[in-house]
């Protein structure tokens, strides 16, 4: 005799799992479960994983849907890079292009976008533009109110920003990744003075600085550190006025030629930004490449060649891949509810000479 199936209300009738059941098993509120199942923001990744596992255990989600849900969308990150002839910044963009596998474990996708250099309005516009299309932005900041305001607007919209290489004062960026630029400037001054030898204690010597732009806080801080060390330890050396070269090799060439013509006793040049090859060319043409101490920033194919042939004496640099990795870690920490700089290494400068080239 055929058995009558149990009535849906009878104790033996299986009941489909509900949101309160998932909440109880995962130890969270029903509101949190609702946010996770509907893929809304505001839940830490570890909590979301626990909710999804509970839903799978109870049979709330089919296996195909569970697998898709357990694979969160990659974090979309954008790095804004000033366009131009600065070889170190070009290398930074190349790193972002070819090193995707390095940050795959963080479940992020990192892209580079090139923007007009030294233009705060263009930078602010790019920040707001890409802020609508990504989950976080790293950028080389220009000190300007419009840039600061763009960062504040993105913060209000929940889009975090990280300053890279050059910081932005009094802003709502979440972190800075880069050198202690004041210390870098002091290091450059110390190296030049030591290479100068007895001249560093003579009134008959000048040293000069060429910057990319003082709109970069990094360049301003390097200049300040450079000046302070000479004032403190080598006060007889005269530091001539800073010149801006916009990180352009041709402009730097013209600036260096002018310095050589104006100062017969020029003993050292500190290139605070890029475009070192232009300065090197000017020194070689004047036959001063073995007489004038030349210190700069960023180990690139150009500065490497200048170190090898003896035109440059030292290069202060940082690892571009490490800088991007630190940015990725910061954004991943923010996504997962950790402190932004948890596990992020302090950016360390390296001083490279011809004899210790990597």
């Amino acid at each position: 005799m055929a058995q009558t199936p149990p009535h849906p209300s009878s104790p033996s009738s299986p009941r489909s799992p509900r949101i309160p059941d998932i909440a109880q098993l995962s130890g969270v509120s029903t509101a949190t479960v609702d946010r996770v199942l509907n893929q809304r923001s505001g839940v830490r990744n570890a909590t979301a994983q626990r909710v999804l596992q509970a839903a799978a255990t109870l049979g709330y989600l089919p296996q195909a849907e569970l697998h898709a849900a357990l694979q969160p969308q990659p974090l979309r990150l954008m790095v804004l890079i000033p366009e131009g002839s600065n070889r170190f910044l070009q290398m930074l963009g190349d790193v972002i292009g070819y090193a995707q596998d390095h940050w795959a474990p963080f479940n992020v996708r990192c892209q580079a976008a090139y923007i007009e250099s030294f233009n705060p309005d263009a930078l602010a516009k790019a920040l707001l533009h890409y802020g609508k299309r990504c989950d976080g932005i790293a950028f080389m900041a220009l000190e300007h109110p419009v840039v600061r305001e763009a960062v504040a607007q993105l913060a209000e919209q929940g889009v975090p920003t990280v300053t890279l290489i050059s910081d932005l004062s009094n802003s709502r960026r979440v972190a800075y990744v880069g050198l202690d630029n004041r210390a870098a400037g002091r290091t450059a001054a110390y190296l030049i003075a030591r290479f100068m030898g007895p001249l560093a204690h003579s009134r008959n010597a000048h040293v000069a600085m060429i910057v990319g732009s003082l709109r970069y806080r990094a360049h301003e801080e390097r200049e300040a550190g450079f000046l302070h060390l000479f004032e403190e330890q080598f006060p007889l050396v005269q530091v001539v006025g800073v010149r801006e070269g916009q990180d352009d090799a041709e402009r730097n060439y013209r600036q260096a030629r002018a310095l050589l013509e104006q100062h017969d006793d020029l003993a050292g040049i500190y290139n605070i930004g890029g475009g070192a090859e232009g300065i090197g060319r000017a020194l070689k043409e004047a036959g001063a490449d073995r007489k004038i101490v030349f210190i700069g920033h960023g180990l690139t194919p150009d500065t490497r060649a200048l170190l090898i042939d003896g035109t440059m004496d030292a290069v202060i640099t940082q690892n571009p891949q490490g800088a991007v990795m630190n940015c990725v870690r910061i954004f991943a920490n923010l996504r997962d509810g950790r402190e932004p700089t948890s596990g992020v290494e302090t950016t360390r400068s390296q001083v490279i000479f011809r004899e210790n080239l990597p």
Side-chain angles (χ1 to χ4, degrees):
M1 183 175 178
Q3 294 184 348
T4 303
H7 190 274
S9 61
S10 68
S12 59
S13 175
R15 180 174 64 83
S16 298
R18 297 177 300 172
I19 286 180
D21 302 320
I22 300 171
Q24 182 177 7
L25 183 59
S26 58
V28 300
S29 68
T30 55
T32 297
V33 173
D34 183 70
R35 282 198 295 271
V36 172
L37 296 179
N38 289 285
Q39 298 184 330
R40 291 196 290 268
S41 60
V43 182
R44 293 180 58 180
N45 188 54
T47 302
Q49 297 292 314
R50 194 164 72 247
V51 169
L52 291 169
Q53 291 291 357
T57 300
L58 295 171
Y60 186 89
L61 288 176
Q63 285 299 317
E65 289 186 26
L66 174 66
H67 180 74
L70 287 172
Q71 301 297 320
Q73 290 296 312
L75 203 62
R76 301 165 301 167
L77 305 180
M78 182 65 66
V79 181
L80 303 183
I81 299 176
E83 61 187 1
S85 59
N86 187 312
R87 298 300 178 87
F88 186 81
L89 295 180
Q90 291 173 7
M91 289 171 58
L92 194 68
D94 291 342
V95 164
I96 295 166
Y98 69 67
Q100 295 294 333
D101 290 346
H102 287 278
W103 29 84
F106 296 93
N107 194 31
V108 304
R109 288 181 181 171
C110 198
Q111 291 182 289
Y114 292 87
I115 61 171
E116 184 180 348
S117 301
F118 311 110
N119 186 331
D121 291 317
L123 175 55
K125 184 177 179 180
L127 284 166
L128 296 175
H129 171 77
Y130 288 106
K132 299 175 182 177
R133 295 163 173 78
C134 66
D135 303 305
I137 301 177
F139 70 106
M140 188 171 173
L142 288 166
E143 278 287 350
H144 198 280
V146 297
V147 178
R148 199 170 289 109
E149 180 63 21
V151 169
Q153 287 186 41
L154 291 178
E156 290 295 331
Q157 296 165 15
V159 180
T161 55
V162 170
T163 50
L164 178 63
I165 300 176
S166 190
D167 203 3
L168 182 63
S169 62
N170 301 316
S171 69
R172 295 181 64 182
R173 56 85 171 144
V174 296
Y176 163 64
V177 172
L179 299 178
D180 177 338
N181 286 297
R182 188 175 292 269
R186 290 179 65 88
T187 300
Y190 183 79
L191 288 170
I192 286 180
R194 297 297 292 176
F195 272 111
M196 286 171 61
L199 273 178
H201 303 281
S202 168
R203 294 184 183 276
N204 300 318
H206 289 79
V207 296
M209 291 178 287
I210 297 177
V211 307
S213 172
L214 291 178
R215 282 186 170 178
Y216 284 131
R217 181 176 172 184
H219 292 192
E220 183 181 11
E221 290 177 343
R222 290 172 188 175
E223 178 201 15
F226 187 86
L227 289 171
H228 288 167
L229 186 124
F230 269 105
E231 290 171 1
E232 293 167 8
Q233 299 187 29
F234 306 96
L236 296 181
V237 175
Q238 298 182 55
V239 182
V240 300
V242 65
R243 293 167 177 261
E244 293 193 27
Q246 305 289 300
D247 284 352
D248 181 77
E250 286 303 316
R251 290 191 184 189
N252 279 1
Y253 168 78
R254 294 193 295 269
Q255 297 285 22
R257 290 284 300 188
L259 286 166
L260 291 167
E261 292 169 2
Q262 293 169 14
H263 303 283
D264 293 335
D265 55 359
L266 191 66
I269 295 178
Y270 174 34
N271 185 39
I272 293 177
E277 60 271 29
I279 300 170
R281 179 156 56 95
L283 291 174
K284 291 175 185 178
E285 287 182 2
D289 50 316
R290 294 297 190 278
K291 300 175 183 177
I292 293 176
V293 182
F294 181 20
I295 306 290
H297 280 268
L299 185 61
T300 67
D302 296 313
T303 56
R304 185 184 187 90
L306 291 170
L307 283 171
I308 289 173
D309 71 18
T311 304
M312 287 191 83
D313 296 283
V315 170
I316 301 168
T317 194
Q318 57 185 301
N319 185 332
Q321 183 171 315
V324 178
M325 178 62 79
N326 278 345
C327 292
V328 169
R329 286 182 182 275
I330 290 167
F331 287 120
N333 285 340
L334 291 169
R335 175 195 60 197
D336 297 338
R338 294 189 292 267
E339 286 295 317
T341 56
S342 176
V344 176
E345 297 181 359
T346 301
T347 303
R348 300 185 182 279
S349 64
Q350 295 176 283
V351 180
I352 306 296
F353 306 94
R354 180 171 63 177
E355 305 306 325
N356 71 338
L357 274 167

